[in-house]
Amino acid sequence: MSFSSKVKNEIAKLQDENSCCQIAELSALIKMNGTIQILGRNRIGIKLTTENAAIARNIFSLIKNNFDFNTKVAMTKNKQLKKNYSYTLLVDSDSASENILKKLFIINETAKGNRINNRIPNSIVKKDCCKRAYLRGVFLGGGSISDPEKTYHLEMVTSNETYAKDIKNLINSFGLNAKIVLRKDYFVVYLKEGENIVDFLNIIGAHSALLDLENVRIYKEMRNNVNRLVNCETANLSKTVNAAMRQINNIKYIKEHMGLNKLPKNLRDIAEARLLHQDASLKELGEMLSPAVGKSGVNHRLRKLDELAEQLKERNQ
């Protein structure tokens, strides 16, 4: 089962006690996943299709709890995926369909007749709890989330730009940073950052999935920190080795073209120590001298030897 299916299975089982929240969730579900059918003689029907049994049960319960009408449910086997079933919920009563759509503010009655409402009506998301329920319905009807082991990406897809902007604004009213991108003929409202996705899961009530994602985030962050430390240590080691090889080569050049005996005692001592102990650190080299010299003192003397070697090379060119 995909991570996206786990999230949907979890939140589809939630059932708000407040009727206003149920109305908000059902409105979003039908808006995202439903189809308004013209059945003939101007009769209206509502059709919802899903492959998720938990979502089908949720829609059935929401309609049954809020409307005095029995929804027809049909289950068919997916021909391409033999193990999967497709669930179709149908409201084919003209009066019931129109009543549902008006109460859910999906259609508005105007002087010219009923018109589709492409906005999220403020009256249905007045309360904070209703906003959360509405976003839960949006995700159930047209949302998906990537496996956090691979990447952090959550999105909801709609064919209407105005509705997409309203979804984005509703998400961002909780302090998140949702954005919209056009993909073919669809508008995709998406969240990228792991922290934003965690907050969104909390908003819609997917607490179990939230904990799973947080565990993945913690593990990935620890792994990245370890990798950074290893890379840093490797880089420092390479830098140290390269510096030591440069110092040794420069000291050998001075020895061949001038002789170490002509160096001041402090430089001769460090040069001989470096040649004898090529793998030693600056601190270890300093402790070998008499009197002992600190790390910065050793570094200063070795830089002097590097400068002297460069001067000799310029003279011998």
Side-chain angles (χ1 to χ4, degrees):
M1 181 184 294
S2 68
F3 188 72
S4 191
S5 295
K6 289 179 181 178
V7 174
K8 289 187 177 183
N9 282 343
E10 180 182 357
I11 62 176
K13 295 173 184 177
L14 300 176
Q15 192 68 259
D16 283 299
E17 295 182 0
N18 299 328
S19 177
C20 59
C21 295
Q22 293 186 24
I23 290 294
E25 183 175 345
L26 182 59
S27 178
L29 269 164
I30 293 178
K31 202 80 167 283
M32 291 292 288
N33 191 43
T35 303
I36 298 176
Q37 297 181 313
I38 305 301
L39 302 174
R41 298 179 183 178
N42 292 324
R43 291 188 302 115
I44 299 174
I46 304 170
K47 181 180 179 182
L48 298 105
T49 302
T50 178
E51 292 183 356
N52 189 306
I55 295 177
R57 285 193 295 269
N58 185 39
I59 296 171
F60 182 86
S61 297
L62 289 171
I63 294 176
K64 183 179 179 181
N65 292 343
N66 293 278
F67 299 95
D68 186 19
F69 182 81
N70 292 323
T71 308
K72 295 180 180 179
V73 181
M75 184 176 71
T76 56
K77 183 173 287 189
N78 191 315
K79 293 180 180 179
Q80 294 179 337
L81 302 171
K82 295 182 180 180
K83 294 182 179 180
N84 286 16
Y85 288 91
S86 178
Y87 304 89
T88 300
L89 296 93
L90 181 65
V91 179
D92 58 5
S93 169
D94 183 35
S95 58
S97 297
E98 187 171 343
N99 181 36
I100 290 172
L101 294 173
K102 285 182 178 178
K103 189 172 180 181
L104 299 179
F105 299 97
I106 294 173
I107 63 172
N108 292 331
E109 191 173 358
T110 68
K112 296 182 179 180
N114 293 326
R115 292 290 184 270
I116 298 292
N117 178 19
N118 291 318
R119 305 297 303 270
I120 299 177
N122 292 328
S123 57
I124 212 169
V125 288
K126 284 182 178 179
K127 300 178 182 178
D128 186 73
C129 58
C130 294
K131 292 179 181 179
R132 294 172 183 270
Y134 196 93
L135 289 175
R136 184 162 60 244
V138 169
F139 185 79
L140 284 171
S144 63
I145 181 171
S146 300
D147 183 348
E149 290 279 2
K150 299 176 182 178
T151 185
Y152 300 129
H153 183 83
L154 182 147
E155 67 180 36
M156 288 145 285
V157 182
T158 176
S159 59
N160 187 274
E161 183 178 10
T162 301
Y163 188 52
K165 289 180 179 178
D166 277 2
I167 294 172
K168 182 196 77 170
N169 292 335
L170 185 59
I171 293 172
N172 291 346
S173 70
F174 288 92
L176 305 186
N177 187 30
K179 296 179 181 179
I180 298 175
V181 66
L182 181 63
R183 185 187 298 158
K184 295 184 179 179
D185 296 327
Y186 293 93
F187 297 91
V188 181
V189 183
Y190 69 93
L191 291 166
K192 276 287 187 185
E193 296 83 2
E195 187 175 347
N196 275 334
I197 294 174
V198 166
D199 289 342
F200 182 83
L201 293 177
N202 183 48
I203 289 166
I204 64 176
H207 300 125
S208 178
L210 183 157
L211 292 175
D212 289 342
L213 193 150
E214 280 286 50
N215 287 336
V216 172
R217 285 183 69 207
I218 292 169
Y219 173 76
K220 288 172 75 172
E221 186 174 349
M222 288 178 62
R223 184 175 60 194
N224 290 338
N225 286 338
V226 169
N227 287 338
R228 278 194 291 269
L229 287 172
V230 170
N231 291 338
C232 184
E233 289 294 333
T234 301
N236 288 338
L237 181 61
S238 297
K239 187 177 178 181
T240 301
V241 170
N242 291 336
M245 292 303 298
R246 184 191 70 248
Q247 294 159 5
I248 291 166
N249 290 333
N250 283 336
I251 292 169
K252 287 181 178 178
Y253 190 88
I254 294 170
K255 183 177 181 180
E256 292 174 7
H257 293 84
M258 189 180 86
L260 298 182
N261 59 329
K262 293 183 180 181
L263 292 172
K265 185 177 185 307
N266 62 337
L267 296 183
R268 184 172 68 251
D269 289 347
I270 195 66
E272 291 173 347
R274 172 49 89 192
L275 289 177
L276 289 172
H277 307 281
Q278 298 186 2
D279 296 331
S281 65
L282 297 183
K283 182 180 179 181
E284 290 169 339
L285 286 175
E287 292 172 348
M288 296 173 189
L289 301 177
S290 181
V293 178
K295 186 177 176 181
S296 60
V298 171
N299 193 40
H300 175 74
R301 296 182 186 187
L302 288 172
R303 280 205 307 269
K304 286 286 186 182
L305 290 171
D306 286 340
E307 291 172 4
L308 178 59
E310 291 301 320
Q311 292 172 3
L312 288 174
K313 290 176 183 177
E314 290 178 3
R315 290 177 194 169
N316 295 332
Q317 283 182 350

